[in-house]
Amino acid sequence: MSSNNERTFIAIKPDGVQRGLISKILGRFEDRGYKLIGIKLVTPTENLLKQHYAEHVNKPFFPGMLSYMMSGPILATVWEGKDVVKQGRNILGATNPLNSAPGTIRGDFAIDMGRNVCHGSDSVESAEREINLWFKKEEIIDWKLASLSWIYE
């Protein structure tokens, strides 16, 4: 059973920021009932991205992905709520937008895998690692959601 305090890292990539999709994407998570506890607009360094995508550093597509991820600002966010890692991935849709269902962020706003608008943590462990990479402890705000009793039993 998942805790209401599970956290995930969701990043709106440069294409999503440049296309003006920030409010639409944030709204999907808020509409679902998840609580935003960390948010900042950042231009990531090469070092940060190499740590974030450590498993891809030696893959042939990495230089292009690195260049793209450094091409503009990224909106880094942390969300909290029950089963938010898995449900966050469902809200985003499949990594390849052509395999994403309509109604998901990628299904509605993306076509090409190289411009898939968002990143979402794929496990509780990777969420913790990514949150710690992108945010200082004091940048995560612990607050009570007023509508909590209307979202959870």
Side-chain angles (χ1 to χ4, degrees):
M1 184 159 118
S2 296
S3 163
N4 292 350
N5 296 324
E6 185 176 293
R7 294 176 173 180
T8 195
F9 174 76
I10 302 292
I12 302 176
K13 296 178 180 179
D15 57 318
V17 173
Q18 290 289 343
R19 292 177 54 202
L21 298 175
I22 289 173
S23 63
K24 291 177 182 179
I25 293 168
L26 296 179
R28 301 274 180 114
F29 285 85
E30 288 183 319
D31 288 349
R32 183 72 187 262
Y34 290 115
K35 180 172 70 170
L36 182 63
I37 61 170
I39 185 168
K40 63 182 177 178
L41 192 63
V42 298
T43 302
T45 64
E46 183 174 336
N47 183 51
L48 173 62
L49 291 169
K50 283 182 176 179
Q51 289 178 68
H52 180 87
Y53 290 114
E55 69 277 12
H56 300 304
V57 169
N58 294 317
K59 295 183 179 171
F61 64 82
F62 185 75
M65 183 173 71
L66 181 65
S67 175
Y68 154 67
M69 291 296 287
M70 293 177 65
S71 68
I74 291 173
L75 189 76
T77 66
V78 181
W79 294 88
E80 186 176 82
K82 186 175 185 177
D83 202 30
V84 71
V85 172
K86 179 182 175 193
Q87 298 310 318
R89 300 278 295 180
N90 289 339
I91 291 167
L92 294 180
T95 302
N96 183 342
L98 294 178
N99 296 330
S100 293
T104 64
I105 290 167
R106 291 176 178 143
D108 290 349
F109 302 123
I111 297 172
D112 190 34
M113 194 152 114
R115 298 293 182 268
N116 67 0
V117 182
C118 291
H119 164 84
S121 301
D122 62 6
S123 68
V124 172
E125 297 75 24
S126 67
E128 185 177 341
R129 183 183 69 80
E130 291 169 355
I131 291 165
N132 290 330
L133 274 175
W134 290 81
F135 287 86
K136 298 174 187 166
K137 188 175 181 175
E138 62 269 15
E139 293 175 316
I140 305 297
I141 308 302
D142 188 22
W143 60 284
K144 184 173 179 174
L145 185 63
S147 59
L148 200 66
S149 65
W150 299 106
I151 297 170
Y152 297 105
E153 291 185 277

